[in-house]
Amino acid sequence: MADSRRVTTTQFAILDSIRSQVLDEGVGLSEEQVLDVLRLPDEALEPLLELAHEVRMRWCGPEVEVEGIISLKTGGCPEDCHFCSQSGLFDSPVRSAWLDVPSLVEAAKQTAKTGATEFCIVAAVRGPNERLMAQVAAGIAAIKDEVDINIACSLGMLTPEQVDQLAAMGVHRYNHNLETARSHFPNVVTTHTWEERWETLSLVREAGMEVCCGGILGMGESMEQRAEFAGQLAALTPDEVPLNFLNPRPGTPFGDLEPLDARDALRAVAAFRLALPRTVLRFAGGREITLGDLGARQGLLGGINAVIVGNYLTTLGRPAESDIDLLGELQMPIKALSETI
């Protein structure tokens, strides 16, 4: 019993040792420090979340950025991302479909009504072809005519010419997830490389668009690889990191994996906040199945400062009203549009 107490006390001391570094100086944790945090016992979860919340409030403030997403092209993707039901290589129930421009505009209007300041247009592709780029251009122009909202895109891997085109269209932020640690990536995707994704992100930054890059936790990665991923994201210094949790999809290679334990998920939320103290850290897909309603509250009080409201690309999310009501209850104002442009 004494030994157990001694170990726990030592592990709690980790929080004291990193407090000044992250909270006072705003310097994110190293990969090794992240691993120490991820290994903290359940008894340390509450003080860990409290520290992550303090860091979020100190370096990001109380405001929460709200975003809605819509799929312009669903399904039929040629890539084999093992978590994704939109891959045309897997026997999943998702079928290929395109959304027309009027529907895109209506989705943007509904998103804006929730108080969201960001609307992300997503397509299930390796990278956009001319048809998709033309559809995106038409959609963005139509949205800008009718809706006062920032527009983001997530269209896969880009060429330098496509990056310039999107920047010229007024795309505010580009999302392209690294998905997982570099060492684990070949176990998740085999049809393209982690380095190819990194190259697109570099092009996006050079073009002046904000970089949105995160991934999915719970895809069979080790604790060490989870820490590696946090370190690699910190090296990228993205403007936003969406944290997804695997929601196993029928017919995909990861369809039989168990959802991540809620306590491990919350530890990861806090650890990523401590690794990225100044970054927009967004709750994204899978939080409902992994954390439930209680987890939404704990995450927002444990480092999260942005949420995707409503449904995701092929899975259901929490009703937008539930998240908006929760933000009001927690006295966390929604970030104003004028402050995100």
Side-chain angles (χ1 to χ4, degrees), residues 14 36 41 47 50 55 71 82 109 152 164 169 200 202 221 231 239 275 306 339:
I14 294 169
D36 287 338
E50 289 174 356
V55 169
S71 183
H82 291 11
K109 287 180 178 178
D164 291 341
M169 291 176 202
T200 285
S202 300
E221 74 277 3
D239 299 278
E339 296 172 355

Side-chain angles (χ1 to χ4, degrees), residues 33 46 51 58 61 84 108 134 208 230 242 288 293 323:
Q33 289 173 312
E46 185 174 341
L51 174 59
R58 170 71 176 82
C84 187
E288 297 77 16
D293 289 344
D323 280 327

Side-chain angles (χ1 to χ4, degrees), residues 87-155:
S87 173
L89 304 178
F90 307 143
D91 184 22
S92 74
V94 176
R95 294 294 173 259
S96 184
W98 284 77
L99 196 67
D100 59 28
V101 170
S103 298
L104 203 61
V105 174
E106 181 58 28
K109 287 180 178 178
Q110 294 304 314
T111 296
K113 284 181 180 179
T114 68
T117 58
E118 194 90 9
F119 181 68
C120 188
I121 301 170
V122 183
V125 291
R126 176 184 174 89
N129 57 19
E130 287 187 18
R131 176 192 176 190
L132 179 57
M133 290 294 287
Q135 190 84 341
V136 168
I140 289 176
I143 291 169
K144 285 183 174 293
D145 281 344
E146 299 193 42
V147 188
D148 192 14
I149 198 166
N150 288 323
I151 298 174
C153 286
S154 181
L155 312 172

Side-chain angles (χ1 to χ4, degrees), residues 139-206:
I140 289 176
I143 291 169
K144 285 183 174 293
D145 281 344
E146 299 193 42
V147 188
D148 192 14
I149 198 166
N150 288 323
I151 298 174
C153 286
S154 181
L155 312 172
M157 291 175 286
L158 302 174
T159 65
E161 294 75 22
Q162 290 169 335
V163 170
D164 291 341
Q165 289 169 16
L166 290 172
M169 291 176 202
V171 172
H172 164 68
R173 184 179 290 167
Y174 193 80
N175 164 257
H176 193 49
N177 290 336
L178 288 171
E179 303 300 7
T180 190
R182 186 176 185 174
S183 66
H184 188 53
F185 192 86
N187 300 317
V188 178
V189 184
T190 68
T191 49
H192 61 267
T193 66
W194 191 92
E195 289 77 12
E196 286 177 287
R197 290 186 175 233
W198 185 280
E199 175 61 24
T200 285
L201 294 163
S202 300
L203 292 172
V204 167
R205 169 157 290 137
E206 289 168 9

